[in-house]
Amino acid sequence: MNNFRFLVLTASVLFFVNGYSQADCILGVGVTDDATIAEIFQFNELQNEKLKSLSADLKTKSDELNNELVNIKDSHPQSSVTELRQLADKYKGIMDSLGKVQATTDKEMLALFNPKQYEIYQSLCKEAYRSPYIVAPTMYTDSIVDENR
């Protein structure tokens, strides 16, 4: 049973990365190590706390959706082509939900970026040929404003 959960989780991540990252530039909250994201974007204390919170929330939601996948697989009849199509439709619906949860979480985190952090995110997306999520960066009182722009 644990092997199946691992397989479902791995398939979920791969599906999400392959299915959604072609157009969208995911930040990867909950997928990428929190410390890596925090280091790349030089997070302040508030951002670090929010990242940890969002990662934990995403893990909970992902676990719930993965449990749904297991329950559907275990309980859905699979003896005919029609039943397999129905199972595939249910599976796709849950996978779409996983993608939406990831996108929402990333956008919440990106909304806490200051303009310089968001600029770095956009630059990384451009290098990866991905479309960045559009959010309005936050102005922090400790941010340095470059008036020579």
Side-chain angles (χ1 to χ4, degrees):
M1 189 65 167
N2 284 336
N3 287 339
F4 181 74
R5 284 184 184 203
F6 176 75
L7 179 64
V8 169
L9 180 61
T10 303
S12 300
V13 170
L14 290 175
F15 176 83
F16 177 77
V17 170
N18 287 334
Y20 287 93
S21 68
Q22 297 302 321
D24 294 336
C25 184
I26 66 168
L27 182 60
V29 173
V31 178
T32 305
D33 181 53
D34 290 349
T36 302
I37 294 173
E39 183 180 333
I40 290 170
F41 295 102
Q42 298 294 299
F43 282 172
N44 62 32
E45 188 175 322
L46 170 75
Q47 290 170 322
N48 278 318
E49 290 173 15
K50 188 64 175 181
L51 177 61
K52 289 176 187 173
S53 172
L54 287 172
S55 289
D57 289 347
L58 180 65
K59 181 179 180 347
T60 300
K61 290 174 185 174
S62 294
D63 287 347
E64 290 171 6
L65 290 169
N66 281 319
N67 285 336
E68 277 188 55
L69 286 174
V70 171
N71 292 337
I72 287 172
K73 187 238 177 233
D74 291 344
S75 65
H76 196 281
Q78 301 174 30
S79 58
S80 70
V81 172
T82 302
E83 290 171 343
L84 287 172
R85 281 191 188 127
Q86 291 170 345
L87 176 62
D89 289 343
K90 290 178 182 179
Y91 182 86
K92 184 182 180 325
I94 293 172
M95 295 305 290
D96 288 347
S97 294
L98 275 169
K100 289 176 188 173
V101 167
Q102 180 70 53
T104 300
T105 302
D106 282 354
K107 288 175 187 176
E108 280 185 62
M109 190 69 233
L110 287 166
L112 295 175
F113 277 27
N114 66 36
K116 183 66 177 171
Q117 291 167 324
Y118 187 68
E119 190 177 296
I120 292 168
Y121 164 74
Q122 288 178 310
S123 173
L124 291 171
C125 292
K126 185 177 179 180
E127 286 180 31
Y129 300 102
R130 304 287 187 251
S131 298
Y133 292 123
I134 306 300
V135 298
T138 300
M139 287 301 297
Y140 293 95
T141 56
D142 63 345
S143 295
I144 299 171
V145 178
D146 184 5
E147 296 187 15
N148 292 328
R149 283 187 166 191

